[in-house]
Amino acid sequence: MDTSDNIYIIAGASSGIGLEIARKLIADNIIYCISRTPGELEYHENFRHIPYDFFGNDELPDLPANANSIIYCPGSITLKPIERLTNDDIDKDFIINAKGAFLFVKKYITNIKNSKNASILLFSSVAVQTGLPYHSSIAMAKGAVEGLTRSLAAELSPRIRVNAIAPSLTDTPMAAPLLNTEAKVEANKQRHPLKNIGSAQEIASFACHLLTQSSWATGQVFNINGGIGTIIK
Ligand SMILES: NC(=O)c1ccc[n+]([C@@H]2O[C@H](COP(=O)([O-])OP(=O)(O)OC[C@H]3O[C@@H](n4cnc5c(N)ncnc54)[C@H](OP(=O)(O)O)[C@@H]3O)[C@@H](O)[C@H]2O)c1
């Protein structure tokens, strides 16, 4: 059933938020997952894994799909004071967050050109709009993602909508080192006005709304962040 209305190409559907987006869509759609490992949906009949490493130099593979939308989830959390940040840190953060997103969109934009509600979804971070200590490398890389989101939204309207979601700390494998004790979990909950951290399921629900229900949102960065940076409590 690989027809144009029911295909989603997701970079990073093997883990975390991307996996939850895939779980929500996979019953009625074909998911092409581009990542190093296949993850939990490996044996689902609607799941197609494309092994690929965004840190490598290989060309992204051609996909036969005529897809609905494309979603780029790979990213990083590098938290260091500026004295300890290396050139390698900032290069890697830029490659996996920003350059990878650019190359992914450039490659697969033709796959969504016939979609009736085509959209591109990228991921930023709370650390772009809110100054947080030790986040300078990730804030620079995700700042580029936000610029890409708005620039492409202008360039591709009215045919293709382009949006980003900027989460605060969300319980996924990427965030595991920040959430590996009860004390860390509690401290992170308490620093958010809504007194909780994010869940991959909630971020994925919002993403799926943007992908499947929305038709009038473009060029937006949606802050799903427990209120941090906007309100003080
Ligand atoms: N979790 C948070 O607290 C948080 C906060 C703010 C922003 N974000 C952003 O939200 C997005 C999703 O994060 P997440 O927490 O869901 O992360 P995650 O659980 O680590 O999942 C990342 C996904 O990207 C893939 N990926 C990572 N590196 C890759 C590479 N070199 N080549 C190919 N695929 C790669 C991973 O697959 P493989 O490992 O199989 O390759 C995985 O499927 C990211 O852009 C992140 O920066 C997350």
Side-chain angles (χ1 to χ4, degrees), residues 91-103:
D91 286 348
K92 281 184 172 159
D93 280 346
F94 188 79
I95 287 169
I96 197 63
N97 289 282
K99 186 179 176 190
F102 168 80
L103 294 174

Side-chain angles (χ1 to χ4, degrees), residues 12-18 34-37 52-55 73-77 96-97 123-125 142 167-170 172-175:
S14 60
S15 169
I17 295 166
I34 298 172
S35 57
R36 294 165 299 184
T37 61
Y52 185 79
D53 185 349
F54 283 93
F55 284 121
C73 298
S76 53
I77 302 182
I96 197 63
N97 289 282
F123 280 86
S124 180
S125 160
K142 292 298 197 185
S168 185
L169 186 63
T170 301
T172 68
M174 182 185 292

Side-chain angles (χ1 to χ4, degrees), residues 69-138:
S69 293
I70 59 176
I71 302 115
Y72 184 85
C73 298
S76 53
I77 302 182
T78 306
L79 304 183
K80 288 185 184 177
I82 191 161
E83 295 85 351
R84 286 187 39 225
L85 274 175
T86 63
N87 287 1
D88 195 43
D89 288 329
I90 60 171
D91 286 348
K92 281 184 172 159
D93 280 346
F94 188 79
I95 287 169
I96 197 63
N97 289 282
K99 186 179 176 190
F102 168 80
L103 294 174
F104 173 80
V105 170
K106 186 173 175 183
K107 175 71 184 180
Y108 297 116
I109 199 165
T110 53
N111 295 60
I112 59 174
K113 68 178 190 300
N114 295 323
S115 168
K116 293 188 191 72
N117 190 19
S119 75
I120 297 168
L121 181 61
L122 307 176
F123 280 86
S124 180
S125 160
V126 65
V128 177
Q129 299 298 331
T130 301
L132 297 171
Y134 314 127
H135 283 65
S136 49
S137 180
I138 190 66

